[in-house]
Amino acid sequence: VIDNDGGGIFGFLAQADALDEEIFETVFGTPHGHDLVGIARSFGLAAEGVSSRAGLKAALAGATVRGGVRVVVVRSARRRNVEVHRCIQERVTAQLTQLGLVRA
């Protein structure tokens, strides 16, 4: 589970740049403020939070098909998530343009 405290998808909208940050956060951010690991555990599920790439790799390496449901929560900063997605999109577009598959 990617936990951006809710509302992360709205950061991709034009409103994210057009509105004052406080107004945008109030209207679109809608942070839930919940502990997703705690919620999963309250339902009897195995759950853990990871805060690094190494931690995620270790959690995924320990996953088994027959072990039932297991929840791995990765905290994500909404703004940084948008930046990373846009960077990836720009790189992919540049490569496709270079290959002649997309017009500039």
Side-chain angles (χ1 to χ4, degrees):
V1 176
I2 298 173
D3 180 12
N4 59 27
D5 201 26
I9 194 166
F10 298 112
F12 292 90
L13 299 176
Q15 291 89 323
D17 296 326
L19 294 174
D20 173 74
E21 185 175 349
E22 187 175 327
I23 293 171
F24 178 82
E25 185 64 20
T26 300
V27 176
F28 292 100
T30 61
H32 58 71
H34 294 291
D35 173 10
L36 300 185
V37 171
I39 291 171
R41 287 180 179 162
S42 75
F43 283 95
L45 302 173
E48 66 181 292
V50 297
S51 58
S52 68
R53 188 175 297 191
L56 178 59
K57 285 182 179 182
L60 295 177
T64 61
V65 175
R66 290 185 238 154
V69 175
R70 183 168 170 219
V71 178
V72 177
V73 178
V74 180
R75 293 281 299 154
S76 171
R78 285 185 253 154
R79 235 177 241 275
R80 180 71 179 130
N81 186 48
V82 171
E83 291 170 5
V84 169
H85 277 310
R86 287 184 177 155
C87 181
I88 291 169
Q89 184 177 13
E90 288 170 8
R91 288 180 179 188
V92 169
T93 301
Q95 288 297 310
L96 292 174
T97 302
Q98 187 176 1
L99 294 171
L101 300 173
V102 173
R103 293 184 186 167

